Amino acid sequence: MAFKLQIVAEVERGELTIAGAHRKYGIQGSHTVGVWIRKYGILDAEYTIPQKAMKKCQEQRLLELEQKVLLLERQKAVLEKQLEISDKKVLFFDMMIDIAEEEFKIPLRKKFSPEQSIDSLKLTKKQ
């Protein structure tokens, strides 16, 4: 009897799950511990969930969400800075190409005409 009460107490305190009690103590029947809990336990069977699986209180979830928001705001700021740098690089490279085209009188940008793209599509379809 003391053995059964000890297992029931461990499960009710959340130290073990029902399946964990079966494994730890080598109890063969799959429903044995559940029967003991209903017979000798203080709590209902629905309250025998281990503490890890219990739902977090609302305040704790709110704090976690606030932390996630702060993290996302930091990530957003970093990404905005990277975007700003990338935009400046694009403008810089565009200006460099313009200067090179003017100085060397060579068209560096490839210009596609609509006829070229249509003809190339026809060629790839025939093959």
Side-chain angles (χ1 to χ4, degrees):
M1 185 65 160
F3 174 71
K4 293 177 185 178
L5 293 174
Q6 176 192 347
I7 293 173
V8 168
E10 284 182 26
V11 172
E12 285 184 337
R13 285 192 303 264
E15 297 172 3
L16 282 176
T17 62
I18 293 174
H22 282 123
R23 283 190 301 273
K24 181 177 179 181
Y25 295 104
I27 300 168
Q28 296 297 318
S30 61
H31 299 288
T32 307
V33 175
V35 171
W36 293 348
I37 290 171
R38 281 190 295 280
K39 215 177 212 184
Y40 308 113
I42 299 170
L43 303 173
D44 293 337
E46 64 191 32
Y47 294 111
T48 59
I49 300 169
Q51 289 180 344
K52 294 178 200 171
M54 285 187 187
K55 291 184 178 179
K56 297 177 182 175
C57 70
Q58 193 170 5
E59 291 174 4
Q60 191 176 15
R61 285 190 3 229
L62 183 62
L63 287 174
E64 287 178 2
L65 290 174
E66 287 175 351
Q67 289 175 347
K68 285 181 182 180
V69 167
L70 289 174
L71 176 67
L72 289 172
E73 286 175 347
R74 286 186 203 128
Q75 289 175 342
K76 180 185 170 207
V78 168
L79 291 172
E80 285 175 343
K81 186 69 174 172
Q82 288 176 347
L83 178 63
E84 183 181 335
I85 292 170
S86 296
D87 286 345
K88 287 180 181 178
K89 283 183 180 179
V90 167
L91 289 174
F92 174 75
F93 289 130
D94 207 29
M95 286 175 21
M96 293 296 292
I97 290 172
D98 288 341
I99 292 170
E101 284 179 336
E102 285 177 23
E103 292 240 350
F104 299 110
K105 308 289 186 229
I106 301 172
L108 297 175
R109 290 189 178 92
K110 195 168 188 176
K111 297 176 183 169
F112 290 104
S113 65
E115 297 90 30
Q116 282 180 327
S117 59
I118 292 171
D119 290 340
S120 63
L121 285 175
K122 289 179 184 176
L123 287 175
T124 56
K125 286 182 183 178
K126 288 181 182 178
Q127 295 174 352

